Amino acid sequence: MIEARAIEVAIIGGGITGLTLALGLQKRNTNFHIYERAQSLREIGAGIGFTPNAERAMLALDPRIHEAFKSVASKNASDWFQWVDGFSGVNNDKDTVKEDLLFNMYLGERGFEGCHRAQFLKELVNHLPQGCVTFGACLDTIIDQGENERILLKFHNGTIAEADLVIGCDGIRSRVRQLILGENNPASYPAYTHKKAYRGLIPMEKALPALGESKVNTRLMHLGPDAHTLTFPVAGGKLMNVVAFVTDPGEWPYTEKLSAPAEKKSAIEGFSKFGGAVRTIMNLLPEDLDEWAIFDTYDHPASTYYHGRICIAGDAAHASSPHHGAGAGAGIEDVTVLATVIEVAQTTLLESPDKSRSGVLNAALATYNAVRLERSQWLVESSRILGEIYEWQYKPTGRDKKKCEEEVYWRSHKIWDYDIGQMLQETTEYYKQRVGA
Ligand SMILES: Cc1cc2nc3c(=O)[nH]c(=O)nc-3n(C[C@H](O)[C@H](O)[C@H](O)COP(=O)(O)OP(=O)(O)OC[C@H]3O[C@@H](n4cnc5c(N)ncnc54)[C@H](O)[C@@H]3O)c2cc1C
């Protein structure tokens, strides 16, 4: 008789995906350990917004995650997300910050609130049990030692670890993705979307007098040709978050990094032909800016998110451009499915220890793959299209505001209205079919 044994999950990477997975597993009494290549858990000093579906996924995964977000989220003053003509201004008058409203969408009760990334991460970390993260652990390779044996993890510093399941939450340049799909497979690597973004936070005491109340305290997308800007309040309304995207026909010059210091004058130049509001925003940006290359996995999507007992989640699986503001939210949807199916698989193994351990865990990951692949890859594609719509480059919509509205409406609602309960029901049903079979 085989002895019943709980599952040990190795999480590679401690970003939003890895940490929310850890909390979801902890809530379901599943053992996990996080391996993080950095020396601490940290996030960049920028804003992030969560769509309504992401909030519902947080609640389903672990209400503590939702509480953590709400404790640092800034409410939008308006229940309407507004898309404005950032280019023309009103008659392109240099002295006015008024912009024509192109269209708006009702956000409802859970209304796409923003927060400061580092503040959210800190709240998540507060809930983690002591000693659950090994720092300086940069994954090199994974060895599957065979049926019912543990998987071996090897790190660049020469250390090794073992686990029953490995979940790569190691971001856009995921090593686990390379190991699953193959190092020579183009689908193992993200590609430059030929857009880059200047990101900055403007203190509200500067933004408010320059732009006025209605521009600084709610979510606004400023559209224009070959560039666009998103603004929303963060840090309890003390800061205005700015993400200013420009199309870049050239190549990203760095191979090792996706962000680099940038001069404020580049952002000012990039929007010099825009209306008064957008030009004012660029002038208010801090001097020490970073520019971020927008890479995604659209050109060569992954054909699968798992192999055996190893899988990828979050950006590691489906790195998306950020134009839907839904990449991290999609990672939280992923790990909600993973935590749910791992809990069920653990119950199977504890109740029926003579079942094939590898077979049960493989069925759990096959379930995750079946439930998540299509929707998350659609997000990658749709985010690309949205970026083009916002910069009047998408041929079917051009500069026609009615057509832009229709396109943005159905795409956004496909994300926002997603039924998380139904997703989890499908998860358990699919798993039962697999294990029964
Ligand atoms: C400009 C911009 C704006 C965005 N805005 C939004 C938004 O408003 N809303 C939204 O939902 N999403 C947004 N996103 C997307 C969001 O930032 C990402 O989807 C999310 O941060 C990905 O989290 P992750 O945990 O999957 O990956 P990451 O945050 O990249 O974390 C990966 C972790 O793995 C570690 N790691 C990497 N390799 C290894 C290894 N070999 N071994 C061990 N550890 C490793 C890294 O150090 C890191 O800690 C935006 C993205 C950009 C670029």
Side-chain angles (χ1 to χ4, degrees):
M1 165 114 177
I2 300 167
E3 193 194 336
R5 183 165 60 77
I7 299 173
E8 301 276 345
V9 180
I11 301 173
I12 312 299
I16 290 173
T17 308
L19 294 190
T20 52
L21 172 61
L23 293 181
L25 290 176
Q26 186 197 24
K27 185 175 184 310
R28 288 164 182 78
N29 297 316
T30 305
N31 298 326
F32 68 88
H33 194 84
I34 303 172
Y35 299 91
E36 167 57 52
R37 80 174 161 197
Q39 294 301 336
S40 62
L41 295 174
R42 50 174 187 238
E43 259 288 357
I44 57 164
I48 185 163
F50 283 103
T51 47
N53 57 301
E55 281 201 44
R56 291 195 298 277
M58 289 177 195
L59 282 166
L61 179 59
D62 182 347
R64 292 177 303 169
I65 297 169
H66 190 249
E67 275 164 34
F69 170 56
K70 284 304 206 191
S71 72
V72 293
S74 298
K75 253 196 143 8
N76 294 308
S78 168
D79 286 341
W80 294 80
F81 184 171
Q82 297 165 49
W83 284 260
V84 293
D85 181 345
F87 184 63
S88 312
V90 170
N91 305 321
N92 208 3
D93 182 340
K94 288 205 185 328
D95 298 325
T96 181
V97 294
K98 281 193 193 144
E99 292 166 301
D100 287 333
L101 179 70
L102 296 173
F103 51 92
N104 55 10
M105 271 173 225
Y106 185 64
L107 290 166
E109 193 190 330
R110 298 229 155 83
F112 214 152
E113 290 171 5
C115 70
H116 191 287
R117 281 173 182 258
Q119 289 180 351
F120 179 47
L121 199 88
K122 186 164 170 276
E123 293 298 320
L124 293 179
V125 169
N126 283 344
H127 292 295
L128 285 179
Q130 285 282 323
C132 72
V133 189
T134 301
F135 293 107
C138 182
L139 182 80
D140 180 19
T141 198
I142 303 174
I143 299 164
D144 189 335
Q145 305 186 103
E147 171 85 358
N148 296 332
E149 296 295 325
R150 287 200 166 146
I151 298 165
L152 204 64
L153 304 166
K154 292 191 169 183
F155 298 92
H156 280 286
N157 60 8
T159 57
I160 53 170
E162 286 187 330
D164 297 299
L165 263 185
V166 181
I167 304 183
C169 304
D170 48 345
I172 187 162
R173 292 184 151 175
S174 168
R175 176 68 181 144
V176 183
R177 182 183 173 96
Q178 292 166 13
L179 295 171
I180 290 177
L181 301 177
E183 287 178 352
N184 295 325
N185 185 343
S188 292
Y189 306 93
Y192 189 38
T193 64
H194 295 281
K195 291 198 194 301
K196 58 184 178 179
Y198 301 99
R199 298 168 99 173
L201 296 166
I202 300 174
M204 219 38 112
E205 59 268 23
K206 284 188 174 176
L208 185 61
L211 293 160
E213 183 92 36
S214 61
K215 286 247 179 282
V216 299
N217 60 13
T218 201
R219 197 174 178 85
L220 276 178
M221 191 73 77
H222 312 255
L223 274 53
D226 300 329
H228 74 283
T229 298
L230 169 68
T231 50
F232 58 88
V234 297
K238 291 194 182 74
L239 298 167
M240 184 173 85
N241 183 61
V242 180
V243 199
F245 297 92
V246 293
T247 289
D248 169 21
E251 293 302 324
W252 179 248
Y254 310 99
T255 47
E256 288 304 313
K257 54 184 187 180
L258 296 182
S259 69
E263 290 187 12
K264 177 174 163 177
K265 72 172 190 223
S266 309
I268 293 175
E269 271 163 25
F271 290 89
S272 61
K273 297 201 170 68
F274 273 59
V278 173
R279 282 185 284 112
T280 303
I281 293 167
M282 298 309 138
N283 282 314
L284 288 171
L285 284 171
E287 292 300 328
D288 52 338
L289 273 186
D290 278 336
E291 59 179 18
W292 289 75
I294 307 300
F295 275 63
D296 73 10
T297 52
Y298 174 70
D299 293 336
H300 299 286
S303 54
T304 178
Y305 292 166
Y306 84 111
H307 178 75
R309 292 173 286 159
I310 306 164
C311 76
I312 40 180
D315 275 15
H318 43 74
S320 162
S321 57
H323 307 299
H324 268 297
I332 296 175
E333 284 183 358
D334 288 348
V335 299
T336 306
V337 169
L338 276 170
T340 303
V341 77
I342 291 170
E343 182 183 30
V344 193
Q346 170 145 280
T347 306
T348 309
L349 288 173
L350 291 178
E351 286 175 356
S352 318
D354 44 346
K355 265 197 188 302
S356 156
R357 207 169 168 79
S358 301
V360 167
L361 296 176
N362 185 280
L365 296 190
T367 302
Y368 161 69
N369 190 61
V371 175
R372 292 301 303 157
L373 191 89
E374 192 182 325
R375 174 171 163 86
S376 54
Q377 292 196 354
W378 174 84
L379 172 69
V380 178
E381 180 194 359
S382 189
S383 286
R384 272 258 192 140
I385 293 173
L386 228 58
E388 291 172 13
I389 294 173
Y390 292 167
E391 299 188 3
W392 299 338
Q393 297 162 331
Y394 187 58
K395 290 211 171 69
T397 49
R399 214 180 149 164
D400 182 319
K401 68 177 176 181
K402 193 76 209 129
K403 286 186 182 160
C404 288
E405 177 177 9
E406 282 165 9
E407 202 68 32
V408 176
Y409 185 90
W410 79 261
R411 291 179 182 280
S412 301
H413 277 276
K414 180 164 168 158
I415 296 169
W416 303 350
D417 301 346
Y418 191 52
D419 188 336
I420 299 293
Q422 171 76 24
M423 173 181 86
L424 296 180
Q425 199 176 326
E426 273 172 33
T427 301
T428 41
E429 279 166 12
Y430 191 93
Y431 171 80
K432 275 188 204 147
Q433 282 168 19
R434 290 288 297 213
V435 169

